[in-house]
Amino acid sequence: MDHYDSQQTNDYMQPEEDWDRDLLLDPAWEKQQRKTFTAWCNSHLRKAGTQIENIEEDFRDGLKLMLLLEVISGERLAKPERGKMRVHKISNVNKALDFIASKGVKLVSIGAEEIVDGNVKMTLGMIWTIILRFAIQDISVEETSAKEGLLLWCQRKTAPYKNVNIQNFHISWKDGLGFCALIHRHRPELIDYGKLRKDDPLTNLNTAFDVAEKYLDIPKMLDAEDIVGTARPDEKAIMTYVSSFYHAFSGAQKAETAANRICKVLAVNQENEQLMEDYEKLASDLLEWIRRTIPWLENRVPENTMHAMQQKLEDFRDYRRLHKPPKVQEKCQLEINFNTLQTKLRLSNRPAFMPSEGRMVSDINNAWGCLEQAEKGYEEWLLNEIRRLERLDHLAEKFRQKASIHEAWTDGKEIMLRQKDYETATLSEIKALLKKHEAFESDLAAHQDRVEQIAAIAQELNELDYYDSPSVNARCQKICDQWDNLGALTQKRREALERTEKLLETIDQLYLEYAKRAAPFNNWMEGAMEDLQDTFIVHTIEEIQGLTTAHEQFKATLPDADKERLAILGIHNEVSKIVQTYHVNMAGTNPYTTITPQEINGKWDHVRQLVPRRDQALMEEHARQQHNERLRKQFGAQANVIGPWIQTKMEEIGRISIEMHGTLEDQLSHLRQYEKSIVNYKPKIDQLEGDHQLIQEALIFDNKHTNYTMEHIRVGWEQLLTTIARTINEVENQILTRDAKGISQEQMNEFRASFNHFDRKKTGMMDTDDFRACLISMGYNMGEAEFARIMSIVDPNRLGVVTFQAFIDFMSRETADTDTADQVMASFKILAGDKNYITVDELRRELPPDQAEYCIARMAPYTGPDAVPGALDYMSFSTALYGESDL
C-alpha cells in the first residue's frame, strides 16, 4: 500500500479507534453483530472450503483468521504455527494483526492475548476493523469514499423510490424498503416493489434477505425480527450487509456501462442516418418549390386596371413576407444540417456524406440564385407597370374628387335660391338672409375656378384616350349646365331680398320704440303687483307705520302710470295701420319684446283691484301691533324684577357654601331658611309664565323692554332650586362624614380653608392641577401613578374636577386607613393561626363588619395546595397593606 492509501485509511479509521465497546454489551446489538460478522466471514471462507460456527472460538488459534485475510486480500501471509499451545496461537494471531497493521489500519486496545482468550467484544472489534478496511474503505462514489461513499451510493440508488429516505445505517433500514429498493433498482424482475407496504417491515426485510441470498449470492447476515425489535439497529451490522450489495452490484454496473457505450455508438449511427434522410428530403422539397416559383415570377402579362396590378404587387409582397422566409430558413437549416452531419461523420471516423445527384449544396445555391434573379426582374416590371397606370388613375381620381366636391357643394343650392322665405321673415331675418346671400355669392365666385379645372381635366383625359372617357364627358357637361343656372337664380333672389328689407325697416323702428317703453312699464306693473300681494310680517308698530307710508306714496304715482300706458298702446296701433295699408305679410310678433297690449291692459286692471285690498290689510295689522306692544311692556316689567332676584340668591348661596361662619349645623339651618324663601317666590314665576304664554300665542319674538327671556328665567330658577338643594345635601354629607370619621370642627375648617384657597376659579370645585397643588401643600409626596390612583378615588367619573365633598371623603379616609389596617392585621393574625389562609365566612363571623369587609376588599384568593373554597390569601393582604412583610 502506498502512502496515500495508508494515510486515507488512517484518516477514516480514526473515528473508529475509540469504537464504543459498551455498545457491544447490549445483547441485541451483540446478537446482530455476531450473526452479521459470522455470515460475512463465511462468505469469504467458503472460497477456501471452510467456515466458522462460533466467531469468538474459531478464531482463537489464529489459523482461520489468517486464512480469512489471505482470501479477502489475495496475498499470502507468513506460515502459521501448527502447535496447540497458547504461545503458538498467540503467534498466529499476531501474524494476522501485523498483516492488518501493514495495510495502514491502526489497531487500538486489540491484542493477540484477548483474541486467544475468546474476548467477544475484542473479537467483534477486530472483525469490524477487517470489514472496514477490505469491504468498505475502497468504495468511492462522487469523490466520497468509505462510509460516506457507501451512504451516498445508497441514497443515489433509492432516490426514485417513495417512502425510502436513507440518511444513516440504522433506523433508515428498519422498514426493509431500503433493501428492497436496492434490489429492485438493479434487478427489478426479482421484487414487485409496488406491492410492498411501509407498515409491514417484517415482510419487506424477509423478502429482501431471501431474494439476496437466493439470486444475488449474498448470505443472510441479519434477522428481520432483530431489526424490527430493536429501537436502533446496529450500524456496523447494517453497513456490513449493505456493503455486500454494493460489491454484488458493482460487477453488474460495469457490464451496464459497456452496454451503454455500445448503445451510444449505435445511437450516433442512427442519428447520422436520420440526418442524411432529412437532408435528402429537405433538399428535394426546396428544389421543387424553386421549380414551381420561377415560372410565376417570369410572367409579364400586364393588367388593364390599377387595382389588378396592385393585387399582383400584393401577391408578390405576400410571397416575400410569408412564403419565401420559411424557405430561406429551410435553406439555412439545410446547410447547417449538412455541415453538422459531415462533422459528426468525421468525428466518428466515417466516410463523408455525398448527397444524390443534383441535390448538393452547390446545386441548391445555383437554383436559389436563379430564383432571386427572376424575383428581381419581376419586382422591377411590377413597379414600372404600376407607375404607368398610376398616371392615368391619378388624373381620373382627381377629376372624380373635384367633381364630387363640386356636386356636394351645389347639392340643394337651386332649391335654396328658389325659396321665398323672405316673404314671412322679420327685418333681422331679412338682413341675415342678405348677409347669407352675399356670402353665397362670394362662395359661388370662388367655385368658378374649380369648374374650369374640372373641364380642363376632362379635356386631358379625352386627349390621353382614357378608357372611361364617355362617363367623364357626361358628368362634366352636367356640371357646366348646372353652373349657368345657379348664376341666374342668384341674381333674382338678391333683388327680392333688397325690396323686402326696405319695407320692413319702417315697421322695425316702430316695434323697437314699443319695446323700449313697454318693457320698463311692464316691469313696474309686475313689481307693483308683487308688492301689493306680498304677505308682510312685522313685529313692531314702527314697521307697520313704515309700510303704510310707502303704500300712500305708491298710490300717488298711479295717474302718471296710466298716461304712459296709453302712449304705448298708441305705438302698437300705428304698426297695425302700416301692415294693413301695404299688405305686409307679418309672419311673427314684435321681435324686440313678448309683451302684448292685451297683457299691459290686463296687468293694469289687476293693479287697480289690488290697491284697496292692500289698504284693508295694513289697517288690520296696525291694530294687531298695538295689542302686541302692550303685552311686551307687561312681560318686561315683571322679568326685569325676577331676573336680578334669582341672580342675587345664587350669589348668596355661593357665599354661604364657601364661607366658614359657625358650625356645619348653623350653615345647614341658614340654607334651609333660604330654601323656604325661594319656594315662597314660586307664584311670581307662574304669573310670568302666563304672560309669556300670551306673547307666544301672539307670535311675538322680541322684546326691547327687557333683556330677559322666559328661557333665561326658567333656567335660572331651576339652577337656583338645584343649587340650594345640592348645597344643603353637601353640608348634610359633610356632617355625616365628620361624625363617621371623628373629624373635629377645626379640621373641617382647615379642610375648607385649603379647598377655598386652591379653588382659584371660585366655582366650588378644583381642577386637576389645583388639586395636585393642594395635596403637595398638605405634605403629600407622590408620583404620577399615585396621583392617578387618588384621582380615580376623588373623580371616579373622570370629569377633571374635585368637589369639596370628594375632597373631605379622601382626607378622612387617608386619616383613618392606617389605624383600621393595624386593627385588621392584628385580628387576622389571631384568626389565621398557623394557616396561610382564612375563609370569607370566618372573617365575617369573627371580625366586626368594617374590619371583615376591609380584609375581603384587599385580599386575593388563596391558591395553595391546601386551598379550600372561599379561602383568602394572608400574604396578599399583608403585601397590599404594608408592602413587603415578614409576617
Side-chain angles (χ1 to χ4, degrees), residues 208-263:
F209 295 163
D210 294 341
V211 169
E213 184 176 31
K214 183 176 180 180
Y215 297 102
L216 303 178
D217 198 25
I218 297 175
K220 188 174 183 181
M221 301 182 185
L222 301 171
D223 285 329
E225 292 77 6
D226 293 342
I227 294 176
V228 174
T230 305
R232 185 171 184 264
D234 181 61
E235 184 179 49
K236 298 178 179 63
I238 299 293
M239 283 181 63
T240 301
Y241 189 50
V242 172
S243 68
S244 299
F245 281 88
Y246 174 83
H247 291 295
F249 292 133
S250 61
Q253 187 173 3
K254 293 177 182 178
E256 181 181 355
T257 302
N260 290 339
R261 187 177 296 109
I262 294 172
C263 292

Coordinates of all heavy atoms in Angstrom, one line a residue, residues 208-263:
A208 N -36.4 -9.1 1.1 CA -35.1 -8.7 0.6 C -34.0 -9.7 1.0 O -33.1 -10.0 0.1 CB -34.7 -7.3 1.3
F209 N -34.0 -10.2 2.2 CA -32.9 -11.1 2.6 C -33.0 -12.4 1.8 O -32.0 -13.0 1.4 CB -33.1 -11.5 4.1 CG -32.9 -10.3 5.0 CD1 -33.3 -10.3 6.4 CD2 -32.3 -9.1 4.5 CE1 -33.1 -9.2 7.2 CE2 -32.1 -8.0 5.4 CZ -32.5 -8.1 6.7
D210 N -34.2 -13.0 1.6 CA -34.4 -14.2 0.9 C -34.0 -14.0 -0.6 O -33.3 -14.9 -1.2 CB -35.8 -14.7 0.9 CG -36.2 -15.1 2.3 OD1 -35.3 -15.3 3.2 OD2 -37.5 -15.1 2.6
V211 N -34.4 -12.9 -1.2 CA -34.0 -12.7 -2.6 C -32.5 -12.5 -2.8 O -31.9 -13.1 -3.7 CB -34.8 -11.5 -3.2 CG1 -34.2 -11.1 -4.5 CG2 -36.3 -11.8 -3.3
A212 N -31.9 -11.8 -1.9 CA -30.5 -11.5 -1.9 C -29.7 -12.9 -1.8 O -28.7 -13.1 -2.5 CB -30.0 -10.6 -0.8
E213 N -30.2 -13.7 -0.9 CA -29.5 -15.0 -0.7 C -29.6 -15.9 -1.9 O -28.7 -16.6 -2.3 CB -30.0 -15.6 0.6 CG -29.2 -16.9 1.0 CD -29.7 -17.4 2.3 OE1 -30.9 -17.2 2.6 OE2 -28.9 -18.0 3.0
K214 N -30.9 -15.9 -2.5 CA -31.2 -16.9 -3.5 C -30.7 -16.5 -4.9 O -30.2 -17.3 -5.6 CB -32.7 -17.1 -3.6 CG -33.2 -18.1 -4.6 CD -34.7 -18.3 -4.5 CE -35.1 -19.3 -5.5 NZ -36.6 -19.5 -5.5
Y215 N -30.7 -15.2 -5.2 CA -30.4 -14.8 -6.5 C -29.1 -14.0 -6.6 O -28.6 -13.8 -7.7 CB -31.6 -13.9 -7.1 CG -32.9 -14.7 -7.3 CD1 -33.9 -14.5 -6.3 CD2 -33.1 -15.6 -8.3 CE1 -35.1 -15.2 -6.4 CE2 -34.2 -16.3 -8.4 CZ -35.3 -16.1 -7.5 OH -36.4 -16.8 -7.6
L216 N -28.7 -13.4 -5.5 CA -27.5 -12.5 -5.6 C -26.3 -13.1 -4.9 O -25.3 -12.4 -4.8 CB -27.9 -11.1 -5.0 CG -29.1 -10.4 -5.6 CD1 -29.4 -9.1 -4.9 CD2 -28.9 -10.1 -7.1
D217 N -26.5 -14.3 -4.3 CA -25.4 -14.9 -3.6 C -24.8 -14.1 -2.5 O -23.6 -14.0 -2.2 CB -24.2 -15.2 -4.6 CG -23.3 -16.3 -4.0 OD1 -23.7 -17.1 -3.2 OD2 -22.1 -16.3 -4.4
I218 N -25.8 -13.4 -1.8 CA -25.4 -12.6 -0.6 C -26.0 -13.3 0.6 O -27.2 -13.5 0.7 CB -26.0 -11.2 -0.7 CG1 -25.4 -10.4 -1.9 CG2 -25.7 -10.4 0.6 CD1 -26.1 -9.0 -2.1
P219 N -25.2 -13.9 1.5 CA -25.7 -14.7 2.6 C -26.6 -13.8 3.5 O -26.4 -12.6 3.6 CB -24.4 -15.1 3.3 CG -23.4 -14.1 2.9 CD -23.7 -13.7 1.5
K220 N -27.5 -14.5 4.2 CA -28.4 -13.8 5.1 C -27.6 -13.5 6.4 O -27.4 -14.3 7.2 CB -29.6 -14.7 5.3 CG -30.7 -14.0 6.1 CD -31.9 -14.9 6.2 CE -33.1 -14.2 6.9 NZ -34.2 -15.1 7.0
M221 N -27.2 -12.2 6.5 CA -26.4 -11.8 7.6 C -27.2 -11.2 8.8 O -26.7 -11.0 9.9 CB -25.4 -10.7 7.2 CG -24.5 -11.2 6.1 SD -23.3 -9.9 5.6 CE -22.5 -10.7 4.3
L222 N -28.6 -10.9 8.6 CA -29.4 -10.3 9.6 C -30.7 -11.0 9.8 O -31.1 -11.8 8.9 CB -29.7 -8.8 9.2 CG -28.5 -7.9 8.9 CD1 -29.1 -6.6 8.3 CD2 -27.8 -7.6 10.2
D223 N -31.3 -10.8 10.9 CA -32.7 -11.4 11.2 C -33.6 -10.2 11.2 O -33.4 -9.2 11.9 CB -32.7 -12.1 12.5 CG -32.0 -13.5 12.4 OD1 -32.0 -14.1 11.3 OD2 -31.4 -13.9 13.5
A224 N -34.7 -10.4 10.4 CA -35.7 -9.4 10.4 C -36.3 -9.1 11.7 O -36.5 -7.9 12.1 CB -36.8 -9.8 9.4
E225 N -36.5 -10.1 12.5 CA -37.1 -9.9 13.9 C -36.2 -9.0 14.7 O -36.6 -8.2 15.5 CB -37.4 -11.2 14.5 CG -38.5 -12.0 13.9 CD -38.0 -12.7 12.6 OE1 -36.8 -12.6 12.3 OE2 -38.9 -13.3 11.9
D226 N -34.9 -9.3 14.6 CA -33.9 -8.5 15.4 C -33.9 -7.0 15.0 O -33.9 -6.1 15.9 CB -32.5 -9.1 15.3 CG -32.4 -10.5 15.9 OD1 -33.3 -10.8 16.7 OD2 -31.4 -11.2 15.5
I227 N -34.0 -6.7 13.8 CA -34.0 -5.3 13.3 C -35.3 -4.6 13.7 O -35.3 -3.5 14.2 CB -33.8 -5.3 11.8 CG1 -32.5 -5.8 11.4 CG2 -34.0 -3.9 11.2 CD1 -32.2 -5.9 9.9
V228 N -36.4 -5.3 13.5 CA -37.7 -4.6 13.9 C -37.8 -4.5 15.4 O -38.3 -3.5 15.9 CB -38.9 -5.5 13.3 CG1 -40.2 -4.9 13.8 CG2 -38.8 -5.4 11.8
G229 N -37.3 -5.5 16.1 CA -37.5 -5.4 17.6 C -36.5 -4.5 18.3 O -36.5 -4.4 19.5
T230 N -35.6 -3.9 17.6 CA -34.6 -3.1 18.2 C -34.9 -1.6 17.8 O -35.2 -1.3 16.6 CB -33.1 -3.4 17.6 OG1 -32.9 -4.8 17.9 CG2 -32.1 -2.6 18.4
A231 N -34.8 -0.8 18.8 CA -35.1 0.7 18.6 C -34.1 1.2 17.6 O -34.5 2.0 16.7 CB -35.1 1.4 19.9
R232 N -32.9 0.9 17.7 CA -31.9 1.4 16.7 C -30.9 0.2 16.4 O -30.1 -0.2 17.1 CB -31.0 2.5 17.4 CG -30.0 3.2 16.5 CD -29.5 4.4 17.3 NE -28.6 5.2 16.5 CZ -27.3 5.1 16.4 NH1 -26.7 4.2 17.2 NH2 -26.5 5.9 15.7
P233 N -31.2 -0.3 15.2 CA -30.4 -1.5 14.8 C -28.9 -1.1 14.8 O -28.5 0.0 14.6 CB -30.9 -1.8 13.3 CG -32.2 -1.2 13.3 CD -32.2 0.0 14.2
D234 N -28.1 -2.2 14.9 CA -26.6 -2.0 14.9 C -26.1 -1.5 13.6 O -26.3 -2.0 12.5 CB -25.9 -3.3 15.3 CG -24.4 -3.1 15.4 OD1 -24.0 -2.3 16.2 OD2 -23.7 -3.7 14.6
E235 N -25.4 -0.3 13.7 CA -24.9 0.3 12.5 C -23.9 -0.5 11.7 O -23.9 -0.6 10.5 CB -24.3 1.7 12.8 CG -23.9 2.5 11.6 CD -23.3 3.9 12.1 OE1 -22.5 3.9 13.0 OE2 -23.7 4.9 11.5
K236 N -23.0 -1.1 12.5 CA -21.9 -1.9 11.9 C -22.5 -3.1 11.1 O -22.0 -3.5 10.0 CB -20.9 -2.4 13.0 CG -20.3 -1.2 13.7 CD -19.4 -1.7 14.8 CE -18.6 -0.6 15.5 NZ -19.5 0.3 16.2
A237 N -23.5 -3.8 11.7 CA -24.2 -4.9 11.1 C -24.8 -4.5 9.7 O -24.7 -5.1 8.7 CB -25.2 -5.6 12.0
I238 N -25.5 -3.3 9.8 CA -26.2 -2.9 8.6 C -25.2 -2.5 7.5 O -25.3 -2.9 6.3 CB -27.1 -1.6 8.9 CG1 -28.2 -2.0 9.9 CG2 -27.7 -1.1 7.6 CD1 -29.2 -3.0 9.4
M239 N -24.1 -1.8 7.9 CA -23.1 -1.4 6.9 C -22.5 -2.6 6.3 O -22.2 -2.6 5.1 CB -22.0 -0.5 7.6 CG -22.4 0.9 7.9 SD -21.1 1.9 8.7 CE -19.9 1.8 7.4
T240 N -22.2 -3.6 7.1 CA -21.5 -4.8 6.6 C -22.4 -5.5 5.5 O -22.0 -5.9 4.4 CB -21.3 -5.8 7.7 OG1 -20.4 -5.2 8.7 CG2 -20.6 -7.1 7.2
Y241 N -23.7 -5.6 5.9 CA -24.7 -6.2 4.9 C -24.8 -5.4 3.7 O -24.8 -5.9 2.6 CB -26.0 -6.4 5.7 CG -27.0 -7.3 4.9 CD1 -26.6 -8.5 4.3 CD2 -28.3 -6.9 4.7 CE1 -27.5 -9.3 3.6 CE2 -29.2 -7.6 4.0 CZ -28.8 -8.9 3.4 OH -29.7 -9.6 2.8
V242 N -25.0 -4.1 3.8 CA -25.2 -3.2 2.7 C -24.0 -3.2 1.7 O -24.1 -3.2 0.5 CB -25.5 -1.8 3.1 CG1 -25.6 -0.8 1.9 CG2 -26.9 -1.7 3.8
S243 N -22.8 -3.3 2.3 CA -21.5 -3.3 1.5 C -21.5 -4.6 0.6 O -21.0 -4.5 -0.5 CB -20.3 -3.3 2.4 OG -20.2 -4.5 3.1
S244 N -22.2 -5.7 1.1 CA -22.3 -6.9 0.2 C -23.1 -6.6 -1.0 O -22.8 -7.1 -2.1 CB -22.9 -8.0 1.0 OG -22.0 -8.3 2.1
F245 N -24.2 -5.8 -0.9 CA -25.0 -5.4 -2.0 C -24.2 -4.5 -3.0 O -24.3 -4.7 -4.2 CB -26.2 -4.6 -1.5 CG -27.3 -5.4 -1.0 CD1 -27.3 -5.7 0.3 CD2 -28.3 -5.9 -1.8 CE1 -28.4 -6.5 0.9 CE2 -29.4 -6.6 -1.3 CZ -29.4 -7.0 0.0
Y246 N -23.4 -3.6 -2.4 CA -22.6 -2.8 -3.3 C -21.6 -3.6 -4.1 O -21.5 -3.4 -5.4 CB -21.8 -1.8 -2.4 CG -20.8 -0.9 -3.2 CD1 -21.2 0.2 -3.9 CD2 -19.5 -1.3 -3.3 CE1 -20.3 1.0 -4.6 CE2 -18.6 -0.6 -4.1 CZ -19.0 0.6 -4.7 OH -18.1 1.3 -5.5
H247 N -20.9 -4.5 -3.5 CA -20.0 -5.4 -4.2 C -20.7 -6.3 -5.2 O -20.1 -6.6 -6.3 CB -19.1 -6.2 -3.3 CG -18.1 -5.3 -2.5 ND1 -17.1 -4.6 -3.0 CD2 -18.1 -5.0 -1.1 CE1 -16.5 -3.9 -2.1 NE2 -17.1 -4.1 -0.9
A248 N -21.9 -6.8 -4.8 CA -22.6 -7.7 -5.7 C -23.0 -7.0 -7.0 O -23.0 -7.6 -8.1 CB -23.8 -8.3 -5.0
F249 N -23.4 -5.7 -6.8 CA -24.0 -5.0 -8.0 C -22.9 -4.2 -8.8 O -23.2 -3.7 -9.9 CB -25.0 -3.9 -7.5 CG -26.3 -4.6 -7.0 CD1 -26.9 -4.2 -5.8 CD2 -26.9 -5.6 -7.7 CE1 -28.0 -4.8 -5.4 CE2 -28.0 -6.2 -7.3 CZ -28.6 -5.8 -6.1
S250 N -21.7 -4.1 -8.2 CA -20.7 -3.3 -8.9 C -20.3 -4.0 -10.2 O -20.0 -3.3 -11.2 CB -19.4 -3.1 -8.0 OG -18.9 -4.4 -7.7
G251 N -20.2 -5.3 -10.2 CA -19.9 -6.1 -11.4 C -21.0 -5.9 -12.5 O -20.7 -5.6 -13.7
A252 N -22.2 -5.9 -12.0 CA -23.4 -5.7 -13.0 C -23.3 -4.3 -13.6 O -23.7 -4.0 -14.7 CB -24.7 -5.9 -12.3
Q253 N -22.9 -3.3 -12.8 CA -22.8 -1.9 -13.2 C -21.8 -1.8 -14.3 O -21.9 -1.0 -15.3 CB -22.5 -1.0 -12.0 CG -22.6 0.5 -12.4 CD -22.4 1.3 -11.2 OE1 -22.2 0.8 -10.1 NE2 -22.5 2.6 -11.4
K254 N -20.6 -2.5 -14.2 CA -19.6 -2.4 -15.2 C -20.1 -3.0 -16.6 O -19.9 -2.4 -17.6 CB -18.4 -3.2 -14.8 CG -17.6 -2.6 -13.6 CD -16.5 -3.5 -13.2 CE -15.8 -2.9 -12.0 NZ -14.6 -3.8 -11.5
A255 N -20.9 -4.1 -16.5 CA -21.5 -4.6 -17.7 C -22.5 -3.7 -18.3 O -22.6 -3.5 -19.5 CB -22.2 -6.0 -17.4
E256 N -23.2 -3.0 -17.5 CA -24.2 -2.0 -17.9 C -23.5 -0.8 -18.6 O -24.0 -0.3 -19.6 CB -25.0 -1.5 -16.7 CG -26.1 -0.5 -17.1 CD -26.9 0.0 -15.9 OE1 -26.6 -0.5 -14.8 OE2 -27.7 0.9 -16.1
T257 N -22.3 -0.4 -18.1 CA -21.6 0.7 -18.7 C -21.1 0.3 -20.1 O -21.2 1.1 -21.0 CB -20.4 1.0 -17.8 OG1 -20.8 1.4 -16.5 CG2 -19.6 2.2 -18.4
A258 N -20.6 -1.0 -20.2 CA -20.2 -1.4 -21.6 C -21.4 -1.4 -22.5 O -21.3 -1.0 -23.7 CB -19.6 -2.8 -21.5
A259 N -22.5 -1.9 -22.1 CA -23.7 -1.9 -23.0 C -24.1 -0.5 -23.4 O -24.5 -0.2 -24.5 CB -24.9 -2.6 -22.3
N260 N -24.1 0.4 -22.4 CA -24.4 1.8 -22.7 C -23.5 2.4 -23.7 O -23.9 3.2 -24.6 CB -24.4 2.6 -21.4 CG -25.5 2.3 -20.5 OD1 -26.5 1.7 -20.9 ND2 -25.3 2.6 -19.2
R261 N -22.2 2.0 -23.7 CA -21.2 2.5 -24.6 C -21.6 2.1 -26.0 O -21.5 2.8 -27.0 CB -19.8 2.1 -24.2 CG -18.7 2.7 -25.1 CD -17.3 2.3 -24.6 NE -17.1 2.8 -23.3 CZ -17.0 2.0 -22.2 NH1 -17.2 0.7 -22.3 NH2 -16.7 2.5 -21.0
I262 N -22.0 0.8 -26.2 CA -22.4 0.2 -27.5 C -23.6 0.9 -28.0 O -23.7 1.3 -29.1 CB -22.6 -1.3 -27.4 CG1 -21.2 -2.0 -27.1 CG2 -23.2 -1.8 -28.7 CD1 -21.4 -3.5 -26.8
C263 N -24.6 1.1 -27.1 CA -25.8 1.8 -27.4 C -25.6 3.2 -27.9 O -26.2 3.7 -28.8 CB -26.8 1.8 -26.3 SG -27.4 0.1 -25.9

